[in-house]
Amino acid sequence: MLAASEAVGAVAEGAVGLEEPKKMTREDWRKKKELEEQRKLGNAPAEVDEEGKDINPHIPQYISSVPWYIDPSKRPTLKHQRPQEEIQAQYTPIGEWYKRGVQDKPVTTKFRKGACENCGSITHKKKDCLERPRRVGAKFTCTDIAPDEHDQVQLSLDYDGKRDRWNGYDPEDHMRIVEEYAKVDLAKRTLKAQKLQEELASGKLMDQANSARKQWGEDEPNSQTEREHNSEDEDEDKYADDIDMPGQNFDSKRRITVRNLRIREDIAKYLRNLDPNSAYYDPKTRAMRENPYSNTGMNPDEVYYAGDNFVRYSGDTITMAQTQLFAWEAYEKGSEVHLQADPTKLELLHQSFKVKKEDFKDKQKESILQKYGGEEHLDAPPRELLLAQTEDYVEYSRHGAVLKGQEKAVARSKYEEDILINNHVCIWGSYWRDGYWGYKCCHSFVKQSYCTGSAGIQTSSGTACAPFEEELIEEEPEEPKTLMEMHQEKMKQ
């Protein structure tokens, strides 16, 4: 009890030590309000906090001012609204990363105090040692002491650091690739120079130069620089032939893709039809495969844009794709053809390939027929006409209706249909008038009656006779009224 009373007294003394703010006079309050209004209008400079930063005059007072019971001497501030440096998380700088490889430290030859008694490594104890237990440990033999294990640094990465693809990349790795390509280029130049020397020594190069001069009537280039320039151009042309145009490389390892960009003057695909039930637009690939005007009833040939599938499978697009596929296959087999670089050569080569392919098939067919015979079987009529059998699977129900197969299964009634009786040409129910069914051939409303033909039509058109069944229809008894309905009728009377 004594300790509690002392604590209460100490709190009371602290509260008394804090001076409450003096009550402002009416004039001071009015001046303060006028200054706030002027600051909000921008006519007076904004209030400055303890760090020299302006305070937005539109911020409420209960946010910017410090309570008097915390520190009455402090002026308005927004420091408590900003990130506090002492509580901010500290992350690893961008230059630090995990160490790769084993540490290049010399292996000790003497046992160290606190090391593993089994292998002698300082980074773990005997109970955590993963080596085979020795008969006599390294503590006593001081031989074959294992190297210390490599301890990785503990990195504290932020959101971007964890997702950085190039975090920890060593630029020296790229320099090694550059040096390797430089060595390959140097080896090619050396090999080419050696080959020129051998051709020059054998006289083959001079014969080629003389024949070229006689053919074109030009002088031989005498300068060494011009010869080197021509060789460099030949190398560039040779490398340029192997470069594929964007979007034309079929190799999956070196495939180059082109974004489906549009001309900015054209209408965007997703603005063609704003109906949410129209064609789906994929924003990632910028593709709209279906026709956006399919629900409007417009012909795809009349609209400006009918979907990517319409463009992909119409016109010469299929022929173009087949030609491109042939160019890829021919290039893999050694033919130097390209769709964009030399389309005429590719087209002629493709046509000759088709002709040779058809000739090869015909020759192969003739050779097989000459060897094995059976040409008479090829001229026979189709199997469907001979045996009335096909390999098309059709499934029927017990009533003979088609359930599965080429023909569309039509739902039919289990009752007999299209049965004509009593000389009628039409069935019962083919004629309707004034709520009654009848025969269309004679306009008779009597079921199972004899057909009277055109005479019956003239009679029914002159006088509207109702069938005699109408007299036999009994009136339905009225439903009994409830007490509420009877009461309401009495009130109305």
Side-chain angles (χ1 to χ4, degrees):
M1 292 295 292
L2 183 59
S5 61
E6 290 179 356
V8 172
V11 173
E13 289 179 1
V16 171
L18 294 176
E19 297 180 0
E20 296 185 6
K22 296 180 180 180
K23 188 175 182 181
M24 299 177 63
T25 60
R26 183 174 297 176
E27 187 66 21
D28 296 340
W29 180 262
R30 186 179 60 79
K31 290 181 179 180
K32 182 180 179 181
K33 287 298 180 183
E34 289 179 357
L35 181 59
E36 290 179 358
E37 293 296 332
Q38 292 297 324
R39 284 174 176 169
K40 290 181 180 179
L41 296 174
N43 298 329
E47 192 174 5
V48 182
D49 61 358
E50 57 187 7
E51 296 180 355
K53 299 180 180 179
D54 294 342
I55 299 176
N56 192 342
H58 298 281
I59 293 178
Q61 184 180 2
Y62 67 88
I63 294 179
S64 60
S65 62
V66 182
W68 64 271
Y69 51 82
I70 297 224
D71 192 353
S73 62
K74 279 192 175 182
R75 56 191 302 179
T77 180
L78 294 177
K79 185 178 181 181
H80 57 284
Q81 298 288 340
R82 301 188 181 96
Q84 306 298 322
E85 297 180 359
E86 58 273 6
I87 62 175
Q88 288 294 316
Q90 300 296 330
Y91 296 105
T92 306
I94 193 172
E96 295 186 10
W97 194 246
Y98 298 106
K99 296 181 180 179
R100 299 175 180 176
V102 183
Q103 290 181 344
D104 298 334
K105 290 185 178 179
V107 180
T108 58
T109 57
K110 185 184 293 186
F111 182 79
R112 293 162 292 179
K113 186 178 180 181
C116 177
E117 299 178 0
N118 184 42
C119 64
S121 178
I122 197 67
T123 54
H124 62 269
K125 298 296 181 181
K126 182 179 180 180
K127 62 179 181 179
D128 300 327
C129 186
L130 299 178
E131 285 195 9
R132 178 182 58 84
R134 303 181 185 180
R135 180 175 298 178
V136 182
K139 179 179 180 181
F140 304 101
T141 59
C142 293
T143 57
D144 195 13
I145 296 178
D148 298 338
E149 297 165 353
H150 179 60
D151 294 335
Q152 289 286 0
V153 294
Q154 299 295 329
L155 300 181
S156 177
L157 302 175
D158 56 352
Y159 182 86
D160 295 330
K162 293 178 181 178
R163 292 156 180 82
D164 188 5
R165 296 177 57 207
W166 299 97
N167 202 346
Y169 174 74
D170 189 6
E172 295 182 0
D173 295 343
H174 180 68
M175 294 304 300
R176 296 192 195 98
I177 298 175
V178 173
E179 292 174 0
E180 181 180 356
Y181 274 86
K183 291 179 182 178
V184 172
D185 192 13
L186 181 61
K188 287 182 179 179
R189 291 178 179 273
T190 306
L191 185 62
K192 188 173 182 179
Q194 184 179 359
K195 186 177 180 181
L196 287 175
Q197 290 293 336
E198 292 177 356
E199 292 179 355
L200 187 62
S202 62
K204 183 178 180 181
L205 187 64
M206 298 297 296
D207 296 340
Q208 293 179 356
N210 294 332
S211 62
R213 186 171 61 253
K214 290 178 181 179
Q215 181 178 1
W216 300 100
E218 297 177 355
D219 295 335
E220 181 184 0
N222 296 324
S223 61
Q224 184 70 17
T225 57
E226 188 174 355
R227 186 178 300 146
E228 291 178 356
H229 179 71
N230 295 336
S231 63
E232 291 178 358
D233 293 341
E234 291 176 1
D235 292 341
E236 291 180 358
D237 296 339
K238 179 179 66 176
Y239 295 144
D241 292 339
D242 296 334
I243 298 175
D244 295 322
M245 295 185 64
Q248 299 297 328
N249 193 354
F250 193 67
D251 189 3
S252 60
K253 297 180 180 179
R254 301 182 292 110
R255 182 172 295 174
I256 304 173
T257 58
V258 180
R259 294 186 179 272
N260 187 12
L261 300 179
R262 65 175 177 86
I263 304 175
R264 295 304 164 187
E265 288 78 9
D266 294 344
I267 302 175
K269 297 178 182 177
Y270 51 85
L271 295 178
R272 294 285 180 182
N273 191 352
L274 300 180
D275 185 9
N277 297 325
S278 63
Y280 173 72
Y281 175 76
D282 187 7
K284 186 175 182 180
T285 58
R286 299 179 181 177
M288 182 180 286
R289 295 173 177 82
E290 298 180 0
N291 184 9
Y293 302 103
S294 59
N295 298 333
T296 59
M298 300 175 65
N299 190 5
D301 297 329
E302 298 177 356
V303 297
Y304 180 77
Y305 176 77
D308 296 340
N309 288 343
F310 180 79
V311 179
R312 190 177 291 119
Y313 301 114
S314 61
D316 294 335
T317 309
I318 300 176
T319 308
M320 183 80 170
Q322 294 175 353
T323 308
Q324 179 66 77
L325 183 61
F326 172 76
W328 287 335
E329 294 176 353
Y331 182 80
E332 290 179 356
K333 294 180 180 179
S335 299
E336 296 291 337
V337 290
H338 201 279
L339 180 61
Q340 278 77 21
D342 200 350
T344 306
K345 178 182 177 182
L346 178 61
E347 185 65 26
L348 295 175
L349 185 62
H350 193 197
Q351 291 179 1
S352 63
F353 172 76
K354 289 180 180 178
V355 174
K356 291 181 181 179
K357 186 177 180 180
E358 293 296 331
D359 295 343
F360 176 75
K361 286 184 177 180
D362 295 339
K363 290 180 180 179
Q364 188 179 20
K365 182 179 177 181
E366 292 177 0
S367 62
I368 293 175
L369 292 175
Q370 290 177 2
K371 186 174 183 180
Y372 299 101
E375 187 175 0
E376 64 277 2
H377 299 288
L378 299 178
D379 299 333
R383 186 180 180 87
E384 295 84 357
L385 299 179
L386 287 176
L387 305 176
Q389 295 179 354
T390 62
E391 295 184 358
D392 298 333
Y393 176 76
V394 181
E395 184 176 344
Y396 297 91
S397 66
R398 64 175 65 183
H399 304 290
V402 179
L403 299 178
K404 294 181 182 178
Q406 301 253 340
E407 300 179 6
K408 186 177 180 181
V410 180
R412 294 184 177 273
S413 173
K414 65 179 181 179
Y415 301 102
E416 295 181 352
E417 297 181 359
D418 300 336
I419 303 294
L420 303 177
I421 60 175
N422 296 335
N423 203 26
H424 283 287
V425 183
C426 300
I427 62 173
W428 167 261
S430 59
Y431 180 69
W432 183 88
R433 191 182 68 180
D434 298 335
Y436 299 102
W437 294 99
Y439 295 98
K440 186 178 181 180
C441 54
C442 59
H443 290 190
S444 175
F445 296 101
V446 181
K447 192 175 183 181
Q448 296 182 353
S449 64
Y450 193 81
C451 182
T452 57
S454 57
I457 295 175
Q458 294 176 0
T459 304
S460 62
S461 60
T463 59
C465 299
F468 66 93
E469 285 95 344
E470 184 179 1
E471 301 177 357
L472 302 178
I473 298 175
E474 298 180 356
E475 296 182 358
E476 297 180 357
E478 297 181 357
E479 296 181 358
K481 297 181 180 180
T482 60
L483 296 175
M484 179 63 69
E485 293 175 352
M486 294 171 64
H487 177 69
Q488 290 178 355
E489 290 180 357
K490 289 181 179 181
M491 294 298 292
K492 290 179 180 179
Q493 294 175 0

